[in-house]
Amino acid sequence: MITADYIVLGVLVVFVLIGALVGFGKGLKFFTSGIFGVIISVFVCYLIFGLVLSWDFVAELLGKFSDWLREQGSVGTFFADIYIDRVVLAVILFIIVQIVRIIIVKILKSVFEINNILVKVINRILGAVFFAAVFAAGLLIVFQIFAWIGGDTAANFLSNLDGSALLLDQLFLKNPLNSIFS
């Protein structure tokens, strides 16, 4: 095992212990509120925007909105030409996703905070698993940032991961985030 393996395992254990102490309900609330919640909502909107745009009734509404804009004169035509209708759709979609996210998080937090011994045990176990998943996502993001930097920095980083018992070098090379951000 190399130093990076020990660091990753140490940080993972700390995350799992914090997750077990905090629990799933409070952990979910923390990681889905504030800037994290906005980032999650933007990412979800990014993933579903094309799907929503392909729905027939949405395409018809956007077409009518664009036609209405063109009827308003040169300013309206300008806004129609820059596809302001899609921007409006993205804003509406973001607001809907934000509301749905808040409702789901409140429901899940309330369910996992029930004062029952079985629910408390499940809350702690799921908290540990959730925080381990958050750590894994963070690790992939760090790897992706080094891949974006590229050049000597990425090569040196990869050489430091060479021979990892946890196969961190392979994870760096085959990072699943590459397919999302490419």
Side-chain angles (χ1 to χ4, degrees), residues 5-70:
D5 290 334
Y6 290 114
I7 292 171
V8 167
L9 286 176
V11 175
L12 177 62
V13 167
V14 168
F15 265 73
V16 168
L17 289 175
I18 291 172
L21 290 173
V22 171
F24 181 71
K26 289 180 183 170
L28 184 67
K29 174 75 171 135
F30 173 76
F31 281 110
T32 58
S33 60
I35 190 69
F36 291 126
V38 172
I39 291 170
I40 290 168
S41 295
V42 167
F43 185 69
V44 169
C45 288
Y46 169 76
L47 292 177
I48 65 173
F49 182 79
L51 174 70
V52 172
L53 191 60
S54 70
W55 293 345
D56 291 337
F57 76 94
V58 172
E60 288 176 26
L61 284 174
L62 292 180
K64 288 179 184 178
F65 181 60
S66 181
D67 292 343
W68 177 81
L69 282 173
R70 290 183 191 287

Side-chain angles (χ1 to χ4, degrees), residues 7 17 39 47 58 92 96 112 121-122 131 149 152 172 178:
I7 292 171
L17 289 175
I39 291 170
L47 292 177
V58 172
I92 292 170
I96 292 170
F112 283 102
V121 169
I122 292 171
F131 272 68
I149 293 171
D152 290 338
F172 179 77
N178 288 335

